[in-house]
Amino acid sequence: MRKIFRSLLVLVFGVFLISSINVKATSPLVEAIDGASIRTQGVQGLRFYATLDESVKANEHGFYLVYGKTTIAELEAAITAAAGGTITLNDKTVFKVQVPGVTAENEFSVVLLGIPEAGYFDNVSVIPYVVVAEENVYSAATVSRSVAEVALKMANAGEDISDIQGVNAITATAKKKGGYNHDDNIEISSGIYELNHKYLAVEFLKDWNEKFNLELENLEADAFYASAIVG
């Protein structure tokens, strides 16, 4: 009977330990704020944001900065492989930036400086972390953005991007864009502007629904016609 009890105790402890690990991995103690902004005051930079739970706002916290896109699992594997040395991911050095303090809303941020115009289209990923019981706890999400992506979203939202240094490197880029044309064949086009009618239709429908307070899910002819003739 004692053996059975001990076995059950070990089993319960194992389940509790696994549950604790899972809670820790998805813990909302630190959360990335989706999106980024371009700081134009002083030295221009790409700013990312995160929030801390009130209970850990005094703990060490900050960001891991990764060139290119990545996942938390890939970062953890890179940290383990580094064994205390230089962390590398996507063939680039990973930087750990500790951020002192938080705002009144428990937010903290990091600004990436010195991004050259040639790198405006390159993604940078950030993973917020907080140290709890001497171990890193990460946000559930990774945020990846480029200067060009943020600038174009700002322009699309009607914001003035003329203060962004080197904005011509974005709007007048010679980069090529790949995608599928209306015949579903791969097509290479110049410039940054979207030409694929399928993607344009999605954005148009978002604007249409917002403008007229509708919830159309597609541009099916009869449904759109019934909506368009009103008023």
Side-chain angles (χ1 to χ4, degrees), residues 17-222:
L17 182 60
I18 292 172
S19 298
S20 298
I21 292 173
N22 287 338
V23 169
K24 178 182 175 183
T26 59
S27 173
L29 292 177
V30 57
E31 295 184 280
I33 297 178
D34 190 31
S37 65
I38 298 175
R39 191 187 75 175
T40 56
Q41 300 298 319
V43 180
Q44 181 169 289
L46 191 60
R47 186 188 292 274
F48 294 87
Y49 306 84
T51 61
L52 283 178
D53 185 82
E54 178 72 20
S55 64
V56 295
K57 69 177 184 179
N59 294 24
E60 177 191 329
H61 57 274
F63 297 88
Y64 282 90
L65 311 177
V66 181
Y67 179 84
K69 293 187 176 182
T70 191
T71 64
I72 295 172
E74 290 172 340
L75 173 63
E76 290 182 309
I79 293 173
T80 300
T86 301
I87 305 170
T88 59
L89 195 53
N90 297 334
D91 297 324
K92 299 286 185 179
T93 300
V94 174
F95 294 96
K96 179 183 179 182
V97 179
Q98 184 176 340
V99 178
V102 294
T103 67
E105 293 75 28
N106 289 347
E107 290 186 5
F108 62 102
S109 64
V110 65
V111 181
L112 280 64
L113 303 176
I115 300 174
E117 291 183 9
Y120 277 5
F121 286 85
D122 296 333
N123 276 294
V124 176
S125 297
V126 299
I127 300 176
Y129 77 92
V130 62
V131 177
V132 179
E134 299 184 354
E135 292 190 14
N136 284 347
V137 174
Y138 303 99
S139 66
T142 300
V143 178
S144 297
R145 293 291 187 275
S146 68
V147 173
E149 181 181 1
V150 175
L152 291 172
K153 285 188 176 181
M154 290 171 60
N156 192 48
E159 298 180 40
D160 182 12
I161 63 172
S162 61
D163 289 339
I164 297 175
Q165 299 171 25
V167 69
N168 287 340
I170 300 172
T171 58
T173 182
K175 288 181 176 292
K176 304 290 185 179
K177 180 173 76 274
Y180 290 92
N181 61 22
H182 63 279
D183 294 321
D184 287 330
N185 294 320
I186 294 178
E187 182 176 70
I188 305 299
S189 58
S190 300
I192 57 176
Y193 302 105
E194 185 59 66
L195 302 177
N196 188 304
H197 75 286
K198 293 182 179 178
Y199 300 140
L200 290 173
V202 171
E203 296 303 319
F204 172 81
L205 194 58
K206 289 180 183 177
D207 291 342
W208 185 272
N209 283 336
E210 181 179 352
K211 176 68 176 177
F212 299 109
N213 194 28
L214 298 172
E215 296 182 356
L216 295 178
E217 296 181 355
N218 55 60
L219 286 175
E220 192 275 329
D222 291 339

